[in-house]
Each structure stands twice: as C-alpha cells, then as structure tokens.
C-alpha cells in the first residue's frame, strides 16, 4: 500500500474527522485545507468499513461540484494530488476513481469507488436517483442547491449491500464551503434550524480585523494565530496578506476572515461587530429585578428593540419587533404590547424613542409620545438624534469588555439586527470614478429602522445621569 502522510490542518478539522454525525459541514477561508480534509475523510471512512466475507472493505462515494469545469479543475485535482499513485481514473461519464488495494497489512483489502458529478441546475439532482452510495461529498456545498443535499441523504447508506456484504459501517454526507451569504440554506441549517444529526464546523479566518480603537493597529487586518493549514501554505500567513490588494470588503470578510457574507453593496456602519463575539450562543433570558428598556423608531415602519443591562454592565439585546405600513398606535397595541404582557409582565419598563416623535401628526395633532402615553406607556425622547453620537453609542458597547464578556450580547433570534450588523445596515456607495466613496448616512431600509431603535437604547443606557448603568469604557481587541 502506498504511503500517505496526513495531519488535520488544525483543531477544527480534527473535530470534523472525529464526528460521526450523519451530515457534517466544514466552513472556512480559502486555503484552510477544507477540500483535502474531505478527501481524506472519504479514504479514512473507507478504511474503517468492516470487511465483507471475502475480506474486502467496500465503499462507494459521490463527489459533487456545481459545474463540470470546477469539478475537473478543483475537486478532481485535489483528489488526484492525494491519491494519484494508488488510483485508476476512468474519464468517461461519470468520471470514476477506483482505489483497489489487495492487502492493507491486516489481511483485508480495500475497494473504493468515487464518482465525480457536476450538478449545475436544481433538476440535476435527479442524476443521483439511481445511485447506491456509502457516502457523498458536496464540494463548495453552498454553491449547490439544497435539493442536492436532500437527494444525497436519500442515496447514501445503500452500499455495500446489507444482504451480500453486511452493510455500511458508517454512512452520511460531508460538505465543505467558504462562508456563504446569510440568506443561504447552509446558514439556515447551521445557525438557525440546527437539525438533529447535523454538525457544522467553522475554521478560524486567515486574518482578523482589530476593533480596539485604542490599539495602534485599529482597523488593520492581521494574521490570525488560530488559522488552520498555515504550515501547508506558501509563505504561511503571507498567503492571506498578499490577497488584500484590490479586494473588496465583502471578499476580505468571506474568503480571508471566514465570516458570513451579505448580498448588500456598501460599507457596514459597524465594523466593530463580530459574530463570534457578539451573538449569544443561545436565547437570552431577562434577569429578574432589572429594568427592561424599549427603544422606538417611529414612522410608518416602526420598530422596537428591547434591551437590559446586567448587573455586570453587559448590555443584552433580548428582542426586536419590526413592521411595515403601520402607525405607532397600531404597532404598540398589536405587536409590542402582547410581547410585553407575555414575556415582560413582571419587569419595570423604561422606554425611549426617536426625538422626531415630538412632531405632531397632520391628522389628529398628537405626537408619537402622546400616542404611547394614551396607551399606558411613558416614553421619553432620546437625548440626541445626531447620527455620529448614535453610532458611537452602539460602538461603545461593541468595544467594551465586562467581567462577563463583551459589552453587548445579542439574542440569536434578533435576525434583522444581526444581519444589519453584518452589512445590511450600511453606507451606500456613491457612483463615482476613482476610489470607492460612500454616503455619510446609512441607507434607509428594513435594517435601518431596528438599528435606529437600537441606537436609542444604547444612548439611554450610556447616559451619564444614570449611575446604575453608566460605566467608563474598557476597550479590548477581539481576535
């Protein structure tokens, strides 16, 4: 048997190998060894297959890519880099690699088939319908349709035959990808649904951005000491640094820093935000005895953000409420009040809103604050509506370090706020030749309304006149 020397690219990849989940995903930046890890996972699982009565360990896999060109230039190339000395490749349709080893050193042999398939369109998943597979590998899975994963889960576990060869010792689907958009099916499964039998692993980015404003490196992208596969990259971290020139913020965020992307074009308002730091691992429960603060943005798309300051000075964002084509009276009565009654009925409520809400309606001359007061909620105007101060009030909490963690922690159910932090809440690009230019105010859209409401919460919490909640900031560099 030819010798293969392989060590997992890092701790995350090693955990990926050690997991026996039916569906496993590995996400990371370019150059992190994802595809090699999947190739070796196929070979490892084939070696672990129990032998049939004739002493042969049999496995059959499908390796799937979204286009035929990428299948040949990347997927098959990576496979051949590892196994060219022991495989026989049939270049017909489908392309099949066969590894037959008569003796593994323990008296058993190996017969491994890998079928390479390109599935360019959703209906191409039908190519899988007649296959009897042990496992499937979806290479750059987020570029494939969800229907491909669904079909793969149906076709695996069907080889080797239970009757003839005793069945598969392990069966399932493995996947790898660069971070996809946060509207993708991968994100929904990995971050929201988290179905039983599925496991998703995130490799660290090759670079990270310094967000500590007191650091001389603030805003710079630096090598990430936790990055995987660095030892196998030419010039180590320089592989990532040399890619920075001429790349967009979205490219850097996704391919170099290994963070989920967005479909938005523009400049994020809050570069201080980091998913792994500021999103709570699980839903946050409010703390009894501490007041709840509501932040309101008015208009015909009103929004409400609900927060609370913990005893250790951490601002937690518990809920978000958004709407369309609804006045403040209807919004509060039909959307906000039912949640307050159900979830926060035993808490003292404070409320703060957009100072523009003091303007009187053209219909009944009542202000938004007066409307809320008539409904039983005492809401006060925020201390300022100046955008820079509002933005800095949020950045203040994003950069703080408390004894219980980051200065701001957001409940994972606050989807619109989180996506806004990721770039949905953004400065719009100005159409002009030369270097990139952006407007000095964020775009007004579905992300701006809850983010405006969040800013009023942060302004209220940071107000120096409230000694219970106000503390001097302590900056920290998140790596």
């Amino acid at each position: 048997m030819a010798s293969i020397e392989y060590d997992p690219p890092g701790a995350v990849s090693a955990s990926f190998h050690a997991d026996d989940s039916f569906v496993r995903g590995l996400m990371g930046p370019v150059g992190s060894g994802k595809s090699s890890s999947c190739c070796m996972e196929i070979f490892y699982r084939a070696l672990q297959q129990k032998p049939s009565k004739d002493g042969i360990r049999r496995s059959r896999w499908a390796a799937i890519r979204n286009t035929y060109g990428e299948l040949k230039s990347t997927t098959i190339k990576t496979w051949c880099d590892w196994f060219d000395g022991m495989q026989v490749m049939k270049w017909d349709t489908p392309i099949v690699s066969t590894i037959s080893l008569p003796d593994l050193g323990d008296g058993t042999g190996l017969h491994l088939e890998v079928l390479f398939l390109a599935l360019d369109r959703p209906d191409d998943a039908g190519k899988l319908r007649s296959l009897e597979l042990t496992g499937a590998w979806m290479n750059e899975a987020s570029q494939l349709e969800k229907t491909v994963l669904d079909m793969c889960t149906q076709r695996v576990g069907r080889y080797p035959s239970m009757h003839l060869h005793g069945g598969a010792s392990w069966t399932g689907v493995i996947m790898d990808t660069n971070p996809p958009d946060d509207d993708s099916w991968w994100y929904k499964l990995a971050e929201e649904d988290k179905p039983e039998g599925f496991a998703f692993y995130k490799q660290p980015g090759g670079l990270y951005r310094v967000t500590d404003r007191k650091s001389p490196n603030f805003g710079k992208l630096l090598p990430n000491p936790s990055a995987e596969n660095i030892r196998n990259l030419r010039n180590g971290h320089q592989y990532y640094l040399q890619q920075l020139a001429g790349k967009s913020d979205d490219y850097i965020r996704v391919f170099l820093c290994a963070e989920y992307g967005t479909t938005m074009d523009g400049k994020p308002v809050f570069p201080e935000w980091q998913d792994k730091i500021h999103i709570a691992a699980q839903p946050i429960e409010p703390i009894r005895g501490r007041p709840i603060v509501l932040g309101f943005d008015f208009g015909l798309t009103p929004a409400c953000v609900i927060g609370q300051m913990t005893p250790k000075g951490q601002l937690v964002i518990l809920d978000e409420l958004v709407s369309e084509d609804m006045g403040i009276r209807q919004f509060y009565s039909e959307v906000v009040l039912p949640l307050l009654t159900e979830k926060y009925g035993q808490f003292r409520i404070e409320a703060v809103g957009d100072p523009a809400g003091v303007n009187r309606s053209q219909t009944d001359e009542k202000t938004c604050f007066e409307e809320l007061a008539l409904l039983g909620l005492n809401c006060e105007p925020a201390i300022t509506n100046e955008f820079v101060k509002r933005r800095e009030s949020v950045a203040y909490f994003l950069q703080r370090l408390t004894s219980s963690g980051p200065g701001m922690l957001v409940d994972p159910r606050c989807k619109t706020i989180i996506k806004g932090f990721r770039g949905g809440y953004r400065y719009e690009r100005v159409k002009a030749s030369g270097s990139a230019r952006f407007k000095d105010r964020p775009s007004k859209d579905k992300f701006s309304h809850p983010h405006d409401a969040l800013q009023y919460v942060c302004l209220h919490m940071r107000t120096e006149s409230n000694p219970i909640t106000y503390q001097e900031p302590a900056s920290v560099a998140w790596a």
Side-chain angles (χ1 to χ4, degrees), residues 156-268:
V156 299
R158 304 170 71 95
Y159 184 87
S161 163
M162 180 68 72
H163 174 67
L164 296 177
H165 303 295
S169 299
W170 178 87
T171 184
V173 181
I174 60 174
M175 310 180 290
D176 71 278
T177 189
N178 297 125
D181 188 87
D182 51 14
D183 282 332
S184 71
W185 62 262
W186 178 292
Y187 181 87
K188 180 173 175 59
L189 289 177
E191 306 296 338
E192 297 178 354
D193 294 349
K194 300 180 180 179
E196 184 177 355
F198 285 54
F200 291 88
Y201 292 87
K202 299 178 186 177
Q203 294 174 303
L207 304 175
Y208 78 97
R209 190 181 298 276
V210 178
T211 58
D212 178 5
R213 288 183 173 272
K214 293 184 178 180
S215 169
N217 292 319
F218 172 70
K220 292 183 179 179
L221 287 156
L222 300 180
N224 190 344
S226 300
E228 302 200 342
N229 204 43
I230 295 299
R231 65 181 181 274
N232 295 319
L233 298 177
R234 184 176 179 272
N235 296 328
H237 277 103
Q238 190 62 30
Y239 168 82
Y240 292 105
L241 293 169
Q242 67 188 9
Q243 294 187 58
L244 292 174
K247 298 299 193 300
S248 67
D249 289 342
D250 286 342
Y251 180 96
I252 293 169
R253 179 189 182 97
V254 170
F255 294 104
L256 306 185
C257 296
E259 299 177 9
Y260 286 111
T262 70
T263 56
M264 305 300 174
D265 179 37
K267 180 181 178 182

Side-chain angles (χ1 to χ4, degrees), residues 238-474:
Q238 190 62 30
Y239 168 82
Y240 292 105
L241 293 169
Q242 67 188 9
Q243 294 187 58
L244 292 174
K247 298 299 193 300
S248 67
D249 289 342
D250 286 342
Y251 180 96
I252 293 169
R253 179 189 182 97
V254 170
F255 294 104
L256 306 185
C257 296
E259 299 177 9
Y260 286 111
T262 70
T263 56
M264 305 300 174
D265 179 37
K267 180 181 178 182
V269 174
F270 294 106
E272 299 88 350
W273 170 268
Q274 290 196 43
D275 280 5
K276 64 181 180 180
I277 299 298
H278 297 110
I279 301 178
Q282 56 191 6
I284 305 172
E285 292 297 325
I287 300 173
R288 296 286 181 180
R290 306 287 297 179
I292 295 295
V293 176
L294 313 183
F296 283 95
D297 185 51
F298 301 125
L300 291 178
T301 52
C304 177
V305 169
I306 302 177
Q308 184 182 53
M309 186 72 76
T310 72
K312 295 184 178 180
Q314 184 180 59
L315 173 58
V316 293
I317 305 304
L318 301 165
D319 279 296
E320 63 173 24
L321 298 167
V322 296
S323 66
E324 292 185 4
D325 298 324
M326 190 178 291
I328 188 60
R329 184 186 313 168
Q330 181 184 4
F331 176 63
Y332 181 75
S333 299
E334 298 181 8
V335 180
V336 180
L337 185 57
L339 179 65
L340 294 181
T341 303
E342 176 186 354
K343 188 174 179 180
Y344 302 105
Q346 303 303 314
F347 291 83
R348 179 166 65 88
I349 303 295
E350 301 175 7
V352 61
D354 180 357
V358 299
N359 297 327
R360 297 189 179 278
S361 167
Q362 295 181 1
T363 55
D364 59 9
E365 297 187 351
K366 289 188 177 68
T367 71
C368 290
F369 295 102
E370 289 172 341
E371 292 280 10
L372 291 174
L374 290 173
L375 294 170
L377 180 68
N378 181 28
C379 183
E380 63 184 49
I383 59 173
T384 181
N385 209 11
E386 184 179 336
F387 172 70
V388 172
K389 291 182 179 179
R390 289 192 283 126
R391 198 214 83 88
E392 290 305 308
S393 71
V394 178
Y396 165 89
F397 287 104
L398 290 176
Q399 294 180 93
R400 284 187 67 192
L401 176 63
T402 74
S403 59
S404 57
M408 180 186 292
L409 200 61
V410 179
D411 190 292
R413 295 169 294 188
C414 297
K415 304 299 183 184
T416 310
I417 287 176
I418 290 172
K419 188 165 184 178
F421 272 127
R422 288 177 175 150
Y425 185 53
R426 68 207 184 280
Y427 302 107
E428 187 177 347
R429 188 184 299 271
V430 176
K431 294 182 180 180
S433 59
S435 59
R437 295 171 55 197
F438 302 90
K439 294 182 179 179
D440 58 4
R441 291 290 186 274
S443 300
K444 282 292 184 182
D445 54 22
K446 65 178 182 180
F447 300 110
S448 67
H449 306 303
H451 267 272
D452 285 351
L454 173 65
Q455 291 159 24
Y456 300 131
V457 170
C458 291
L459 281 170
H460 179 81
M461 292 295 198
R462 196 186 173 188
T463 301
E464 192 167 4
S465 61
N466 186 346
I468 297 176
T469 60
Y470 181 80
Q471 294 181 9
E472 288 297 327

Side-chain angles (χ1 to χ4, degrees), residues 40-59:
M40 294 308 301
E41 177 68 11
I42 293 173
F43 190 62
Y44 167 77
R45 294 290 173 176
L47 292 176
Q48 295 300 308
Q49 168 64 33
K50 61 186 177 184
S52 304
K53 294 179 181 179
D54 59 3
I56 303 299
R57 303 173 187 267
R58 290 178 170 84
S59 293

